[in-house]
Amino acid sequence: MKQTLCSVASNVEVMPGIHLMWIEAPNIACSVLPGQFITVRCGDFTLRRPFSVHQVSSREIALLLTVAGKGTLWLSQRQTSERIDILGPLGKGFSIEPESRNLLLVAGGIGIAPLVLLMQYASSQHQITLIHGASTAAQLYPSAMPKTGPSSAGKKRSKLSPLPKGVQFIPVTEDGSMGKKGMATDILPDFLDWADQVYACGPVDMYKAMAEMSLRAKRSNLKLTKCQVSLEVRMGCGFGACYGCTINTKKGLKQLCHDGPVFELDDIILQEVRI
Ligand code: FES
């Protein structure tokens, strides 16, 4: 974990209200693991904002940030070469068990952010299926969508790296504008027999639906697939000093910033998670 002043390499709005920001941070780029996060000091706000690392290159890291308040608005307005104060990498991320070959990734909306880094880290020995659910086609991960030619939307999309080769991408939209109509969890059962491990990032309601599935499978003595999920709650310090992010789990009290943000789905008491 290191606090550094880093330059913004680029900052583009890639989807409505969502920015892809590349930051020159070689020390983090070479050490961050999928699912870990950084915190950014946003203007004069005392509390730093946490962001999952979305992608890495040899010297840079990328964030996929949603403008959701004054802090993220400030960050979204930073220009190339401006310096920002970042701290990381922080927390514990996803892990791939040595014997796992078939990885099922489930993203709800902007929850795609850390899963793209997980795909970058998976080796050629892994088969990956990504289910991405969003309310409408415009909010699906753009690089997986057909390019639309020289329109501004097409140019913006091209700023995002394509998904790694061989990834099976399954879009699901609530309004049916792309892929199947419904929620990501509607089609999840079709892939559970295939998957050796499941990784998810999205809203708590998505995790509740997944936990229900797991409970039903247990009751019916069906195959149980291990599932790691990335949780999001309000944070203070971001590195285990303030206890502001403590959650209750089946294994006792845990600090999300230090013991997570990735946990086994079965260990979380979802009813007690407050965002
Ligand atoms: Fe301070 Fe986690 S945010 S302990």
Side-chain angles (χ1 to χ4, degrees):
M1 166 179 95
K2 210 172 168 192
Q3 186 171 359
T4 334
L5 275 180
C6 298
S7 297
V8 173
S10 64
N11 176 15
V12 179
E13 187 178 20
V14 287
M15 293 181 258
I18 296 175
H19 285 241
L20 175 71
M21 176 178 281
W22 281 93
I23 302 164
E24 285 178 25
N27 289 339
I28 296 177
C30 70
S31 59
V32 67
L33 296 170
Q36 287 190 300
F37 66 97
I38 63 163
T39 58
V40 183
R41 185 175 170 85
C42 294
D44 294 331
F45 293 95
T46 316
L47 284 186
R48 306 169 70 91
R49 302 296 193 271
F51 299 96
S52 302
V53 176
H54 169 54
Q55 291 183 55
V56 295
S57 68
S58 56
R59 294 186 53 80
E60 298 174 355
I61 60 169
L63 310 180
L64 202 55
L65 63 102
T66 308
V67 179
K70 288 178 183 168
T72 44
L73 177 65
W74 178 90
L75 189 58
S76 72
Q77 292 167 340
R78 295 312 96 198
Q79 305 291 317
T80 302
S81 299
E82 276 191 65
R83 311 254 284 172
I84 54 173
D85 175 343
I86 69 176
L87 177 70
L90 298 163
K92 292 202 177 76
F94 297 109
S95 59
I96 302 175
E97 304 213 346
E99 65 276 14
S100 294
R101 290 291 169 270
N102 297 338
L103 311 182
L104 177 60
L105 280 50
V106 187
I110 195 70
I112 187 73
L115 297 179
V116 172
L117 187 59
L118 179 62
M119 284 187 268
Q120 271 195 324
Y121 271 74
S123 77
S124 55
Q125 296 179 334
H126 296 112
Q127 304 287 318
I128 299 176
T129 295
L130 166 66
I131 302 172
H132 188 194
S135 51
T136 188
Q139 288 166 0
L140 286 168
Y141 193 67
S143 64
M145 297 168 70
K147 301 287 186 284
T148 51
S151 69
S152 60
K155 279 179 194 160
K156 282 178 182 175
R157 283 173 188 157
S158 69
K159 300 262 185 188
L160 282 176
S161 299
L163 295 177
K165 254 192 185 161
V167 171
Q168 184 189 15
F169 177 72
I170 302 182
V172 183
T173 49
E174 285 172 41
D175 64 2
S177 51
M178 189 174 182
K180 292 216 172 185
K181 185 173 180 179
M183 314 294 276
T185 45
D186 294 343
I187 60 164
L188 179 57
D190 300 348
F191 296 89
L192 285 179
D193 275 347
W194 169 85
D196 295 320
Q197 275 186 270
V198 179
Y199 303 88
C201 186
V204 170
D205 282 349
M206 186 175 102
Y207 298 156
K208 284 182 179 166
M210 292 171 73
E212 271 294 313
M213 269 174 227
S214 171
L215 203 62
R216 280 199 296 272
K218 240 181 236 169
R219 283 187 194 131
S220 314
N221 286 326
L222 296 174
K223 177 189 166 195
L224 283 177
T225 312
K226 286 190 170 178
C227 179
Q228 296 173 17
V229 303
S230 180
L231 269 185
E232 194 183 319
V233 298
R234 278 188 191 280
M235 282 193 200
C237 65
F239 49 83
C242 73
Y243 292 87
C245 64
T246 304
I247 59 164
N248 195 12
T249 73
K250 292 174 190 163
K251 293 180 174 170
L253 296 178
K254 301 283 178 192
Q255 288 166 284
L256 192 109
C257 67
H258 181 261
D259 303 311
V262 173
F263 295 91
E264 292 289 335
L265 177 61
D266 271 355
D267 290 342
I268 305 171
I269 304 171
L270 288 164
Q271 295 73 11
E272 296 187 19
V273 173
R274 299 277 171 266
I275 297 181

